Amino acid sequence: MGEVSDDNSNMSFLKRIATSDVPLLKEYGVNGVVIALLLAVVTPVLLSMMFGKKTKQRAVRADVGGEEGFAMRNSRFSSLVEVPWEGATTMAALFEMASKKYSRRRCLGMRKLIKREFVESSDGRKFEKLHLGEYEWDTYAEAFNRACNFASGLIKMGHDLDSHAAIFSDTRAEWIIAAQGCFRQNLTVVTIYASLGEDALVHSLNETQVSTLICDSNQLKKIPAISSKLQSLKHIIYIEDEPVEAETLNQVKHLTTLSFTEVEELGKTSHVDARLPSSSDTAVIMYVYKRSTDLPKGVMITHGNIVATTAAVMTIVPNLGMNDVYLAYLPLAHVFELAAETVMLASGTAIGYGSALTMTDTSNKIKKGTKGDVSVLNPTLMISVPAILDRIRDAVFKKVGEKGGLAKKLFDFAYKRNLAAIEGSWFGSWAPERMIWDNIIYKPIRAMLGGRVRFVLCGGAPLSSDTQRFMNICLGVPVGQGYGLTETCAGAAFTEWDDTSVGRVGPPLPCCYVKLVSWEEGGYRISDSPMPRGEVVVVGHSITKGYFNNEAKTNEVYKVDERGIRWFYTGDIGQFHPDGCLEIIDRKKDIVKLQHGEYVSLGKVESALATSNYVENIMVYADPFHNYCVALVVPAHQALEKWAQNSGINYKGFEELCQNDQAIKEVQQSLSKAAKVGRLEKFEVPAKIVLLPEPWTPESGLVTAALKLKREQIKTKFKDDLDKLYH
Ligand SMILES: *[C@@H]1O[C@H](CO)[C@@H](O)[C@H](O)[C@H]1NC(C)=O
Ligand SMILES: *[C@@H]1O[C@H](CO)[C@@H](O)[C@H](O)[C@H]1NC(C)=O
């Protein structure tokens, strides 16, 4: 990446000098220009000779068997890592050992609630506002004790050892304590997103025959309405994060119901011996949606899976340890957060709990004038999903834009200089200069996240390069991008902290091998040049057991090779860069087989067609019952209007222009040209198109916050248009 932008900036600098008007020549004389030209050419060459980074080889070929493919492993480890340290083979063992190792260090922290109030907005709606105080901490030894008590209490309460327990709660200390309590009795924990709909909730609890449900006060309210459908449910343990209404408890009185504290107390007074699990036992059945239309599927994650991912991630974050403070706020029912918190527990790091709604001083639920989670916690580590980082970026840019004037000019200038520095361009700021920018411009921005964040792990979806650079520059932190699925227990690939490139997800984590397998029909082959391409397949200690109670689906995506080793087929299409870093370039399900058997990769076609000047947004659609594809196009206003003016088209508004046959033809011709440049096959070029006047924004729900198309939503909204295109 660095080299490419180098060339670009040289080019534009030279172009500027070459095309600049006469005053420059007058001022400096022709010699001056020649010297400047020479300097412009020579300086970057010299600089890159002095500082040029040799590309680090981050992954190397691996010989791992299975289906033929292009396999890579992390170059730092010749064999796969399996455990963080000897003996830490299960979540229970890891936590017990950590609690001895770090016994008096801070472990789990929750903010004290000082006051809860409701304010009324002008339109009469009520909003909850919280005044939260300092963090109150359990040390490692205390947290471990609570988990032991919870485990004993759970059994004393009558939980049947052959059945499952489920956790249905926001992210908080009790979540980890309850989970660790279950692990100490070799109980499998079923996890469910707190935001899941009722049907999905009933389905997951019923499918796994859960007998004990551990929930927070908000989720408890949902139970009375569905408890008649939950035949296996016998016990409820509720966390009193908010006062629980007697009425709610009354409605579930046919079940044994205790508060979390009562269960801990019960366990404290009557100890039950631990029944520790082994590495291959299922620790968690994590319910995830594979497709928005299906019911969620339960991924069976073993203890060995989680500790392997943990061990691998611990090798990625530099100097991870007891001096770190981690802000926990993403759902623990997501494998990404569960793995991250396990990494923190294994490292002796303090985990402070917060939430997206109370994170900063200006967050929705924070009472005006009081402090958000980051200002009190001052975390050094965070994990995030792209949408949240995008939001932070937009907020900062908006604020700067509102200030305007000199402040904005200075911000823009410093941003450009620092961006150039990261990308290794000659225009880059130098170190002492960066200190000045840091102090006058970026310090206040950094304060938004508490001022001490030193590493952000980002996963869940692809992070845009703009946002990654924003984080690098304005927050001064490296962003590690992860790639993985629940089925690979989060871990598959991860960018290393010293890799400043964008758009890639790094080399395979040291707990697994990543292989590309040719997908002939889709046109992705490991023999492709310049890089091998194919479906991403993962094997290693982090590969989960499969879907609970769903052998058919399991056999579809987990394939066992001749040695009995399980490979997980991700359905994502990737390519390996020469340094061994993986880049995700497509999704198999975005590839459609036409009537005559040709495959259309929607993403590939869209990115080729998007190079047309007229395209602001485009979605290609292929109906498998026809032999051609079509496209919905949101045209670029200015470009199309300019063309209309020049061509003397009469139209009232942009909407009418989008209906104009000539305009449609013009855009279609431009798409054909783009297709030719992109070397698309004839059947890949949309045979018919519609022009849509309204832009697609995240607010409209048609694209994600990272501006990726939401195909299903777009398809539904423009169903009539699509139908017309096929008739
Ligand atoms: C619960 O699961 C059983 C099978 O285990 C099934 O027969 C029943 O219909 C399910 N109930 C609901 C409400 O999903
Ligand atoms: C843990 O529980 C599972 C399921 O009940 C059982 O198969 C396994 O043998 C148990 N593990 C140990 C170490 O007892």
Side-chain angles (χ1 to χ4, degrees), residues 161-162 186 275-278 281:
L161 282 169
D162 289 328
N186 185 19
R275 234 174 43 123
L276 295 172
S278 71
D281 286 327

Side-chain angles (χ1 to χ4, degrees), residues 349-485:
T349 299
I351 301 176
Y353 288 89
S355 78
L357 293 175
T358 57
M359 188 147 51
T360 68
D361 297 354
T362 54
S363 288
N364 277 348
K365 267 198 177 178
I366 288 294
K367 180 181 147 88
K368 236 195 179 129
T370 68
K371 283 194 162 27
D373 307 329
V374 284
S375 315
V376 182
L377 186 65
N378 301 119
T380 62
L381 303 172
M382 283 176 68
I383 73 170
S384 191
V385 290
I388 290 179
L389 299 184
D390 287 344
R391 227 178 291 156
I392 295 176
R393 183 198 67 178
D394 294 346
V396 168
F397 283 161
K398 189 166 156 234
K399 225 172 187 174
V400 171
E402 278 164 5
K403 268 199 187 138
L406 187 63
K408 178 163 169 14
K409 283 211 177 78
L410 208 58
F411 179 91
D412 289 345
F413 181 70
Y415 196 91
K416 275 195 197 122
R417 297 271 298 171
N418 283 7
L419 180 63
I422 291 177
E423 301 197 324
S425 150
W426 63 273
F427 182 70
S429 49
W430 29 289
E433 174 192 344
R434 278 203 291 281
M435 268 172 56
I436 300 175
W437 296 138
D438 256 19
N439 274 302
I440 60 175
I441 298 183
Y442 300 125
K443 221 178 184 173
I445 301 178
R446 267 215 287 284
M448 272 178 50
L449 292 182
R452 282 209 308 159
V453 175
R454 67 179 187 91
F455 192 71
V456 176
L457 291 85
C458 189
L463 178 67
S464 79
S465 27
D466 284 356
T467 302
Q468 184 172 342
R469 285 296 179 241
F470 164 81
M471 294 298 291
N472 295 153
I473 293 167
C474 294
L475 297 165
V477 294
V479 180
Q481 234 197 114
Y483 167 73
L485 298 93

